[in-house]
Amino acid sequence: PTRRSSDLLSGSGNLTVTSSLQADGTANGPGTVMVASGASMSVPADSDFDVEGGSLVNQGSATIGAGGYLLVDSGAAMSNPGSLVMDASSVLDGGCAQPATPSSPAIPAGAMTSSGTITADGTSGFPVSLGGEPGDYLYSCLALTDTGAIQISANELDIYGAATLEIGRAHV
């Protein structure tokens, strides 16, 4: 069956998706949401999915629909050993690091590692944005480490934040 997250996933336990997850809402760990190999996750068109705590692991296939927004907030993490397709005007963003204060420790920027495939499928005038989005400097801080393939299947991919890309793995 398809699971729908339209509000809040919260807790210290782990959730393993073995079929499909339609994600629009918030995941607030410290647990892990894992999309297993053979399973799928979609952020529907014009919807938001915020990973505000814990981690999101995509071992299957994930899609951010046209105009969709996926935020890996400060202190949260995403791992993509599977496949991720980003449709036109979609955004995968990261929360910025927060310095320590007298009453709280420092919080690192939202982080993503990808050893799988990221496919950018923008359309003319509607690019895919990885790491942030134009004009939004409140976030746009995703710490991206990519050792997998990045495929630009149509038009444009804009990269923001702090990106470490393995040379020779991007395909246009």
Side-chain angles (χ1 to χ4, degrees), residues 151-171:
Q151 299 176 344
I152 303 171
S153 65
N155 286 291
E156 178 181 339
L157 169 65
D158 296 338
I159 298 177
Y160 299 85
T164 301
L165 307 175
E166 185 175 295
I167 303 291
R169 300 286 282 193
H171 299 93

Side-chain angles (χ1 to χ4, degrees), residues 78-146:
M78 178 178 176
S79 174
N80 180 54
S83 66
L84 172 63
V85 175
M86 298 178 67
D87 290 336
S89 292
S90 64
V91 176
L92 199 161
D93 202 350
C96 296
Q98 299 173 15
T101 66
S103 60
S104 63
I107 300 172
M112 177 183 176
T113 58
S114 180
S115 57
T117 300
I118 299 172
T119 301
D121 195 12
T123 59
S124 182
F126 300 96
V128 168
S129 297
L130 181 58
E133 60 184 317
D136 182 3
Y137 302 104
L138 176 61
Y139 293 105
S140 298
C141 294
L142 185 70
L144 170 66
T145 301
D146 183 84

Side-chain angles (χ1 to χ4, degrees), residues 4-147:
R4 180 172 164 77
S5 161
S6 59
D7 285 320
L8 176 66
L9 292 171
S10 183
S12 59
N14 298 328
L15 171 67
T16 300
V17 177
T18 57
S19 180
S20 63
L21 173 66
Q22 183 174 327
D24 59 341
T26 302
N28 187 357
T32 297
V33 175
M34 180 184 300
V35 179
S37 179
S40 65
M41 180 188 90
S42 67
V43 177
D46 299 316
S47 295
D48 294 355
F49 184 56
D50 299 339
V51 180
E52 291 184 350
S55 60
L56 172 64
V57 177
N58 174 41
Q59 294 179 339
S61 62
T63 301
I64 304 174
Y69 181 85
L70 173 61
L71 172 66
V72 181
D73 209 350
S74 308
M78 178 178 176
S79 174
N80 180 54
S83 66
L84 172 63
V85 175
M86 298 178 67
D87 290 336
S89 292
S90 64
V91 176
L92 199 161
D93 202 350
C96 296
Q98 299 173 15
T101 66
S103 60
S104 63
I107 300 172
M112 177 183 176
T113 58
S114 180
S115 57
T117 300
I118 299 172
T119 301
D121 195 12
T123 59
S124 182
F126 300 96
V128 168
S129 297
L130 181 58
E133 60 184 317
D136 182 3
Y137 302 104
L138 176 61
Y139 293 105
S140 298
C141 294
L142 185 70
L144 170 66
T145 301
D146 183 84
T147 58

